[in-house]
mmCIF file of all heavy atoms in Angstrom:
data_model
loop_
_atom_site.group_PDB
_atom_site.id
_atom_site.type_symbol
_atom_site.label_atom_id
_atom_site.label_comp_id
_atom_site.label_asym_id
_atom_site.label_seq_id
_atom_site.Cartn_x
_atom_site.Cartn_y
_atom_site.Cartn_z
ATOM 1 N N VAL F 16 -2.644 25.258 2.871
ATOM 2 C CA VAL F 16 -3.551 24.179 3.249
ATOM 3 C C VAL F 16 -2.992 22.911 2.669
ATOM 4 O O VAL F 16 -2.571 22.911 1.446
ATOM 5 C CB VAL F 16 -4.971 24.388 2.646
ATOM 6 C CG1 VAL F 16 -5.919 23.248 2.913
ATOM 7 C CG2 VAL F 16 -5.590 25.710 3.101
ATOM 8 N N LEU F 18 -3.409 18.556 2.247
ATOM 9 C CA LEU F 18 -4.175 17.358 2.434
ATOM 10 C C LEU F 18 -3.252 16.175 2.441
ATOM 11 O O LEU F 18 -2.364 16.084 1.583
ATOM 12 C CB LEU F 18 -5.204 17.181 1.263
ATOM 13 C CG LEU F 18 -6.155 18.322 0.868
ATOM 14 C CD1 LEU F 18 -7.019 17.888 -0.189
ATOM 15 C CD2 LEU F 18 -6.953 18.802 2.136
ATOM 16 N N ALA F 101 -24.923 21.429 8.808
ATOM 17 C CA ALA F 101 -23.904 22.073 7.959
ATOM 18 C C ALA F 101 -23.382 23.238 8.736
ATOM 19 O O ALA F 101 -22.023 23.403 8.763
ATOM 20 C CB ALA F 101 -24.429 22.463 6.619
ATOM 21 N N LEU F 104 -21.158 21.956 11.655
ATOM 22 C CA LEU F 104 -19.871 21.408 11.223
ATOM 23 C C LEU F 104 -18.937 22.565 10.805
ATOM 24 O O LEU F 104 -17.777 22.527 11.202
ATOM 25 C CB LEU F 104 -20.115 20.437 10.015
ATOM 26 C CG LEU F 104 -18.747 19.716 9.610
ATOM 27 C CD1 LEU F 104 -18.158 18.952 10.773
ATOM 28 C CD2 LEU F 104 -19.025 18.918 8.377
ATOM 29 N N ALA F 105 -19.430 23.558 10.106
ATOM 30 C CA ALA F 105 -18.614 24.641 9.829
ATOM 31 C C ALA F 105 -18.133 25.389 11.020
ATOM 32 O O ALA F 105 -16.912 25.774 11.185
ATOM 33 C CB ALA F 105 -19.378 25.666 8.927
ATOM 34 N N SER F 106 -19.014 25.482 12.020
ATOM 35 C CA SER F 106 -18.665 26.164 13.291
ATOM 36 C C SER F 106 -17.635 25.434 14.038
ATOM 37 O O SER F 106 -16.612 26.063 14.582
ATOM 38 C CB SER F 106 -19.909 26.311 14.119
ATOM 39 O OG SER F 106 -19.647 26.820 15.361
ATOM 40 N N ALA F 107 -17.629 24.053 14.053
ATOM 41 C CA ALA F 107 -16.575 23.249 14.638
ATOM 42 C C ALA F 107 -15.217 23.607 14.098
ATOM 43 O O ALA F 107 -14.199 23.767 14.790
ATOM 44 C CB ALA F 107 -16.896 21.831 14.554
ATOM 45 N N TYR F 108 -15.056 23.664 12.747
ATOM 46 C CA TYR F 108 -13.816 24.036 12.076
ATOM 47 C C TYR F 108 -13.456 25.537 12.415
ATOM 48 O O TYR F 108 -12.287 25.818 12.835
ATOM 49 C CB TYR F 108 -13.918 23.887 10.562
ATOM 50 C CG TYR F 108 -13.746 22.433 10.198
ATOM 51 C CD1 TYR F 108 -14.833 21.546 10.074
ATOM 52 C CD2 TYR F 108 -12.520 21.941 9.929
ATOM 53 C CE1 TYR F 108 -14.686 20.204 9.709
ATOM 54 C CE2 TYR F 108 -12.326 20.614 9.583
ATOM 55 C CZ TYR F 108 -13.352 19.728 9.500
ATOM 56 O OH TYR F 108 -13.207 18.428 9.177
ATOM 57 N N ARG F 109 -14.382 26.463 12.264
ATOM 58 C CA ARG F 109 -14.087 27.807 12.543
ATOM 59 C C ARG F 109 -13.635 28.142 13.921
ATOM 60 O O ARG F 109 -12.731 28.821 14.269
ATOM 61 C CB ARG F 109 -15.316 28.724 12.171
ATOM 62 C CG ARG F 109 -14.999 30.192 12.084
ATOM 63 C CD ARG F 109 -16.207 30.993 11.379
ATOM 64 N NE ARG F 109 -17.435 30.510 11.904
ATOM 65 C CZ ARG F 109 -18.365 29.834 11.254
ATOM 66 N NH1 ARG F 109 -18.192 29.606 9.942
ATOM 67 N NH2 ARG F 109 -19.469 29.552 11.830
ATOM 68 N N LEU F 112 -10.161 27.028 14.588
ATOM 69 C CA LEU F 112 -9.131 27.953 14.020
ATOM 70 C C LEU F 112 -9.093 29.239 14.883
ATOM 71 O O LEU F 112 -8.006 29.779 15.163
ATOM 72 C CB LEU F 112 -9.599 28.342 12.535
ATOM 73 C CG LEU F 112 -9.369 27.131 11.547
ATOM 74 C CD1 LEU F 112 -10.333 27.342 10.385
ATOM 75 C CD2 LEU F 112 -7.947 27.080 11.078
ATOM 76 N N PHE F 125 -6.266 19.003 11.312
ATOM 77 C CA PHE F 125 -7.671 18.477 11.551
ATOM 78 C C PHE F 125 -7.824 17.096 11.017
ATOM 79 O O PHE F 125 -7.357 16.726 9.953
ATOM 80 C CB PHE F 125 -8.598 19.280 10.733
ATOM 81 C CG PHE F 125 -8.964 20.692 11.279
ATOM 82 C CD1 PHE F 125 -8.260 21.822 10.677
ATOM 83 C CD2 PHE F 125 -9.973 20.924 12.146
ATOM 84 C CE1 PHE F 125 -8.573 23.107 11.157
ATOM 85 C CE2 PHE F 125 -10.252 22.192 12.664
ATOM 86 C CZ PHE F 125 -9.633 23.271 12.108
ATOM 87 N N PRO F 126 -8.628 16.330 11.730
ATOM 88 C CA PRO F 126 -9.189 15.058 11.070
ATOM 89 C C PRO F 126 -10.538 15.410 10.391
ATOM 90 O O PRO F 126 -10.929 16.651 10.457
ATOM 91 C CB PRO F 126 -9.514 14.214 12.334
ATOM 92 C CG PRO F 126 -9.957 15.205 13.391
ATOM 93 C CD PRO F 126 -9.180 16.472 13.061
ATOM 94 N N ALA F 127 -11.092 14.516 9.703
ATOM 95 C CA ALA F 127 -12.448 14.802 9.044
ATOM 96 C C ALA F 127 -13.505 14.623 10.079
ATOM 97 O O ALA F 127 -14.075 13.555 10.289
ATOM 98 C CB ALA F 127 -12.517 13.769 7.912
ATOM 99 N N ILE F 128 -13.773 15.762 10.827
ATOM 100 C CA ILE F 128 -14.676 15.855 11.901
ATOM 101 C C ILE F 128 -16.116 15.325 11.444
ATOM 102 O O ILE F 128 -16.548 15.702 10.362
ATOM 103 C CB ILE F 128 -14.866 17.350 12.425
ATOM 104 C CG1 ILE F 128 -13.504 17.792 12.977
ATOM 105 C CG2 ILE F 128 -15.917 17.379 13.503
ATOM 106 C CD1 ILE F 128 -13.510 19.264 13.390
ATOM 107 N N SER F 129 -16.712 14.533 12.300
ATOM 108 C CA SER F 129 -18.078 14.026 12.115
ATOM 109 C C SER F 129 -18.256 13.000 11.053
ATOM 110 O O SER F 129 -19.357 12.465 10.788
ATOM 111 C CB SER F 129 -19.058 15.120 11.838
ATOM 112 O OG SER F 129 -19.364 15.956 12.974
ATOM 113 N N THR F 130 -17.150 12.611 10.293
ATOM 114 C CA THR F 130 -17.387 11.602 9.212
ATOM 115 C C THR F 130 -17.214 10.169 9.641
ATOM 116 O O THR F 130 -17.253 9.239 8.765
ATOM 117 C CB THR F 130 -16.427 11.904 8.021
ATOM 118 O OG1 THR F 130 -15.017 11.721 8.580
ATOM 119 C CG2 THR F 130 -16.461 13.279 7.533
ATOM 120 N N TYR F 135 -21.450 11.801 9.032
ATOM 121 C CA TYR F 135 -21.587 12.880 7.998
ATOM 122 C C TYR F 135 -21.023 12.324 6.650
ATOM 123 O O TYR F 135 -19.911 11.857 6.578
ATOM 124 C CB TYR F 135 -20.784 14.095 8.431
ATOM 125 C CG TYR F 135 -21.450 15.331 8.095
ATOM 126 C CD1 TYR F 135 -22.070 16.324 9.025
ATOM 127 C CD2 TYR F 135 -21.566 15.811 6.724
ATOM 128 C CE1 TYR F 135 -22.632 17.421 8.670
ATOM 129 C CE2 TYR F 135 -22.247 16.951 6.372
ATOM 130 C CZ TYR F 135 -22.791 17.765 7.357
ATOM 131 O OH TYR F 135 -23.469 18.906 7.022
ATOM 132 N N PRO F 136 -21.781 12.479 5.593
ATOM 133 C CA PRO F 136 -21.282 12.044 4.282
ATOM 134 C C PRO F 136 -19.903 12.682 3.987
ATOM 135 O O PRO F 136 -19.842 13.973 4.074
ATOM 136 C CB PRO F 136 -22.393 12.342 3.332
ATOM 137 C CG PRO F 136 -23.611 12.418 4.157
ATOM 138 C CD PRO F 136 -23.106 12.991 5.456
ATOM 139 N N LEU F 137 -18.938 11.962 3.496
ATOM 140 C CA LEU F 137 -17.610 12.533 3.293
ATOM 141 C C LEU F 137 -17.560 13.680 2.302
ATOM 142 O O LEU F 137 -16.878 14.680 2.510
ATOM 143 C CB LEU F 137 -16.718 11.392 2.747
ATOM 144 C CG LEU F 137 -15.819 10.684 3.795
ATOM 145 C CD1 LEU F 137 -15.137 9.534 2.990
ATOM 146 C CD2 LEU F 137 -14.865 11.597 4.444
ATOM 147 N N LYS F 138 -18.291 13.565 1.182
ATOM 148 C CA LYS F 138 -18.298 14.553 0.177
ATOM 149 C C LYS F 138 -18.701 15.936 0.670
ATOM 150 O O LYS F 138 -18.101 16.978 0.523
ATOM 151 C CB LYS F 138 -19.095 14.064 -1.044
ATOM 152 C CG LYS F 138 -18.961 14.916 -2.195
ATOM 153 C CD LYS F 138 -19.762 14.472 -3.363
ATOM 154 C CE LYS F 138 -19.736 15.480 -4.526
ATOM 155 N NZ LYS F 138 -20.775 15.239 -5.528
ATOM 156 N N GLU F 139 -19.840 15.881 1.428
ATOM 157 C CA GLU F 139 -20.380 17.171 1.940
ATOM 158 C C GLU F 139 -19.490 17.621 3.043
ATOM 159 O O GLU F 139 -19.267 18.839 3.141
ATOM 160 C CB GLU F 139 -21.796 16.891 2.552
ATOM 161 C CG GLU F 139 -22.805 16.541 1.516
ATOM 162 C CD GLU F 139 -24.096 16.038 2.159
ATOM 163 O OE1 GLU F 139 -24.680 16.666 3.009
ATOM 164 O OE2 GLU F 139 -24.496 14.922 1.682
ATOM 165 N N ALA F 140 -19.058 16.744 3.888
ATOM 166 C CA ALA F 140 -18.154 17.139 5.011
ATOM 167 C C ALA F 140 -16.827 17.821 4.501
ATOM 168 O O ALA F 140 -16.347 18.828 5.010
ATOM 169 C CB ALA F 140 -17.901 16.022 5.911
ATOM 170 N N ALA F 141 -16.248 17.261 3.460
ATOM 171 C CA ALA F 141 -15.047 17.771 2.866
ATOM 172 C C ALA F 141 -15.271 19.189 2.330
ATOM 173 O O ALA F 141 -14.438 20.102 2.534
ATOM 174 C CB ALA F 141 -14.614 16.843 1.774
ATOM 175 N N ALA F 142 -16.375 19.393 1.637
ATOM 176 C CA ALA F 142 -16.633 20.793 1.047
ATOM 177 C C ALA F 142 -16.829 21.818 2.169
ATOM 178 O O ALA F 142 -16.220 22.855 2.053
ATOM 179 C CB ALA F 142 -17.910 20.676 0.241
ATOM 180 N N ILE F 143 -17.546 21.415 3.201
ATOM 181 C CA ILE F 143 -17.674 22.342 4.345
ATOM 182 C C ILE F 143 -16.347 22.624 5.043
ATOM 183 O O ILE F 143 -16.048 23.805 5.374
ATOM 184 C CB ILE F 143 -18.747 21.753 5.307
ATOM 185 C CG1 ILE F 143 -20.092 21.751 4.634
ATOM 186 C CG2 ILE F 143 -18.728 22.541 6.642
ATOM 187 C CD1 ILE F 143 -21.156 21.005 5.378
ATOM 188 N N ALA F 144 -15.543 21.559 5.352
ATOM 189 C CA ALA F 144 -14.308 21.679 6.002
ATOM 190 C C ALA F 144 -13.385 22.663 5.268
ATOM 191 O O ALA F 144 -12.793 23.601 5.810
ATOM 192 C CB ALA F 144 -13.659 20.342 6.155
ATOM 193 N N LEU F 145 -13.298 22.441 3.900
ATOM 194 C CA LEU F 145 -12.304 23.185 3.221
ATOM 195 C C LEU F 145 -12.810 24.655 2.938
ATOM 196 O O LEU F 145 -12.034 25.577 3.040
ATOM 197 C CB LEU F 145 -11.936 22.521 1.900
ATOM 198 C CG LEU F 145 -11.113 21.241 2.134
ATOM 199 C CD1 LEU F 145 -10.977 20.480 0.779
ATOM 200 C CD2 LEU F 145 -9.683 21.620 2.616
ATOM 201 N N ALA F 146 -14.127 24.803 2.623
ATOM 202 C CA ALA F 146 -14.617 26.239 2.475
ATOM 203 C C ALA F 146 -14.457 26.989 3.715
ATOM 204 O O ALA F 146 -14.075 28.235 3.643
ATOM 205 C CB ALA F 146 -16.112 26.138 1.998
ATOM 206 N N THR F 147 -14.751 26.409 4.792
ATOM 207 C CA THR F 147 -14.560 27.131 6.120
ATOM 208 C C THR F 147 -13.199 27.546 6.379
ATOM 209 O O THR F 147 -12.868 28.599 6.826
ATOM 210 C CB THR F 147 -15.189 26.301 7.203
ATOM 211 O OG1 THR F 147 -16.565 25.888 6.928
ATOM 212 C CG2 THR F 147 -15.228 27.001 8.617
ATOM 213 N N THR F 148 -12.279 26.535 6.174
ATOM 214 C CA THR F 148 -10.857 26.780 6.441
ATOM 215 C C THR F 148 -10.312 27.878 5.543
ATOM 216 O O THR F 148 -9.649 28.821 6.009
ATOM 217 C CB THR F 148 -10.110 25.452 6.235
ATOM 218 O OG1 THR F 148 -10.530 24.524 7.209
ATOM 219 C CG2 THR F 148 -8.652 25.690 6.451
ATOM 220 N N VAL F 149 -10.628 27.758 4.338
ATOM 221 C CA VAL F 149 -10.034 28.811 3.271
ATOM 222 C C VAL F 149 -10.669 30.129 3.543
ATOM 223 O O VAL F 149 -9.906 31.138 3.549
ATOM 224 C CB VAL F 149 -10.366 28.316 1.898
ATOM 225 C CG1 VAL F 149 -10.153 29.453 0.839
ATOM 226 C CG2 VAL F 149 -9.561 27.109 1.569
ATOM 227 N N ALA F 150 -11.931 30.279 3.947
ATOM 228 C CA ALA F 150 -12.528 31.583 4.314
ATOM 229 C C ALA F 150 -11.866 32.176 5.461
ATOM 230 O O ALA F 150 -11.606 33.314 5.565
ATOM 231 C CB ALA F 150 -14.043 31.393 4.484
ATOM 232 N N PHE F 151 -11.540 31.316 6.528
ATOM 233 C CA PHE F 151 -10.868 31.807 7.681
ATOM 234 C C PHE F 151 -9.467 32.320 7.351
ATOM 235 O O PHE F 151 -9.105 33.425 7.729
ATOM 236 C CB PHE F 151 -10.786 30.713 8.734
ATOM 237 C CG PHE F 151 -10.221 31.134 10.066
ATOM 238 C CD1 PHE F 151 -10.968 31.684 11.044
ATOM 239 C CD2 PHE F 151 -8.868 31.086 10.251
ATOM 240 C CE1 PHE F 151 -10.442 32.143 12.179
ATOM 241 C CE2 PHE F 151 -8.269 31.544 11.428
ATOM 242 C CZ PHE F 151 -9.092 32.049 12.414
ATOM 243 N N LEU F 152 -8.737 31.557 6.617
ATOM 244 C CA LEU F 152 -7.343 31.891 6.281
ATOM 245 C C LEU F 152 -7.199 33.177 5.461
ATOM 246 O O LEU F 152 -6.164 33.934 5.551
ATOM 247 C CB LEU F 152 -6.662 30.644 5.548
ATOM 248 C CG LEU F 152 -6.503 29.429 6.419
ATOM 249 C CD1 LEU F 152 -5.846 28.330 5.576
ATOM 250 C CD2 LEU F 152 -5.624 29.688 7.635
ATOM 251 N N VAL F 161 -2.536 24.851 7.736
ATOM 252 C CA VAL F 161 -3.524 23.934 8.162
ATOM 253 C C VAL F 161 -3.443 22.661 7.346
ATOM 254 O O VAL F 161 -3.423 22.666 6.086
ATOM 255 C CB VAL F 161 -4.994 24.581 7.995
ATOM 256 C CG1 VAL F 161 -6.046 23.525 8.287
ATOM 257 C CG2 VAL F 161 -5.182 25.846 8.769
ATOM 258 N N ARG F 162 -3.283 21.515 8.156
ATOM 259 C CA ARG F 162 -3.225 20.180 7.445
ATOM 260 C C ARG F 162 -4.561 19.535 7.753
ATOM 261 O O ARG F 162 -5.093 19.496 8.873
ATOM 262 C CB ARG F 162 -2.115 19.392 8.082
ATOM 263 C CG ARG F 162 -0.800 19.961 7.953
ATOM 264 C CD ARG F 162 0.330 19.001 8.444
ATOM 265 N NE ARG F 162 1.144 18.696 7.277
ATOM 266 C CZ ARG F 162 1.989 17.701 7.145
ATOM 267 N NH1 ARG F 162 2.087 16.798 8.088
ATOM 268 N NH2 ARG F 162 2.727 17.598 6.074
ATOM 269 N N LEU F 163 -5.116 18.795 6.724
ATOM 270 C CA LEU F 163 -6.209 17.956 6.851
ATOM 271 C C LEU F 163 -5.644 16.542 6.790
ATOM 272 O O LEU F 163 -5.126 16.136 5.744
ATOM 273 C CB LEU F 163 -7.276 18.161 5.802
ATOM 274 C CG LEU F 163 -8.298 19.417 5.825
ATOM 275 C CD1 LEU F 163 -9.050 19.373 7.131
ATOM 276 C CD2 LEU F 163 -7.582 20.739 5.700
ATOM 277 N N LEU F 165 -6.157 12.845 6.665
ATOM 278 C CA LEU F 165 -7.266 11.930 6.357
ATOM 279 C C LEU F 165 -6.847 10.496 6.607
ATOM 280 O O LEU F 165 -5.779 10.082 6.183
ATOM 281 C CB LEU F 165 -7.696 12.139 4.861
ATOM 282 C CG LEU F 165 -8.369 13.449 4.516
ATOM 283 C CD1 LEU F 165 -9.203 14.098 5.682
ATOM 284 C CD2 LEU F 165 -7.372 14.512 3.988
ATOM 285 N N ALA F 173 -12.070 12.362 -1.230
ATOM 286 C CA ALA F 173 -13.161 13.245 -1.059
ATOM 287 C C ALA F 173 -12.616 14.622 -0.781
ATOM 288 O O ALA F 173 -13.109 15.658 -1.434
ATOM 289 C CB ALA F 173 -14.056 12.763 0.127
ATOM 290 N N PHE F 174 -11.604 14.736 -0.014
ATOM 291 C CA PHE F 174 -11.055 16.065 0.251
ATOM 292 C C PHE F 174 -10.230 16.701 -0.967
ATOM 293 O O PHE F 174 -10.331 17.836 -1.209
ATOM 294 C CB PHE F 174 -10.177 16.055 1.566
ATOM 295 C CG PHE F 174 -10.949 16.247 2.795
ATOM 296 C CD1 PHE F 174 -11.769 15.230 3.313
ATOM 297 C CD2 PHE F 174 -10.873 17.447 3.484
ATOM 298 C CE1 PHE F 174 -12.490 15.507 4.458
ATOM 299 C CE2 PHE F 174 -11.540 17.639 4.632
ATOM 300 C CZ PHE F 174 -12.430 16.586 5.216
ATOM 301 N N ALA F 177 -12.906 18.021 -3.248
ATOM 302 C CA ALA F 177 -13.480 19.272 -2.718
ATOM 303 C C ALA F 177 -12.485 20.477 -2.876
ATOM 304 O O ALA F 177 -12.933 21.583 -3.178
ATOM 305 C CB ALA F 177 -13.874 19.077 -1.214
ATOM 306 N N LEU F 178 -11.195 20.172 -2.670
ATOM 307 C CA LEU F 178 -10.237 21.192 -2.864
ATOM 308 C C LEU F 178 -10.110 21.681 -4.314
ATOM 309 O O LEU F 178 -10.052 22.832 -4.611
ATOM 310 C CB LEU F 178 -8.823 20.761 -2.308
ATOM 311 C CG LEU F 178 -7.740 21.786 -2.458
ATOM 312 C CD1 LEU F 178 -8.081 23.040 -1.445
ATOM 313 C CD2 LEU F 178 -6.395 21.225 -1.956
ATOM 314 N N LEU F 181 -12.896 24.011 -5.072
ATOM 315 C CA LEU F 181 -12.618 25.314 -4.501
ATOM 316 C C LEU F 181 -11.588 26.181 -5.276
ATOM 317 O O LEU F 181 -11.753 27.363 -5.409
ATOM 318 C CB LEU F 181 -12.208 25.228 -3.066
ATOM 319 C CG LEU F 181 -13.176 25.229 -1.829
ATOM 320 C CD1 LEU F 181 -12.496 25.211 -0.571
ATOM 321 C CD2 LEU F 181 -14.198 26.430 -1.972
#
Side-chain angles (χ1 to χ4, degrees):
V16 178
L18 307 185
L104 185 60
S106 176
Y108 280 92
R109 192 167 45 247
L112 289 155
F125 282 98
I128 298 172
S129 287
T130 65
Y135 217 111
L137 265 177
K138 187 177 172 194
E139 291 166 54
I143 292 166
L145 289 170
T147 305
T148 299
V149 168
F151 183 89
L152 294 177
V161 176
R162 304 189 114 193
L163 281 302
L165 294 326
F174 275 71
L178 183 63
L181 266 188

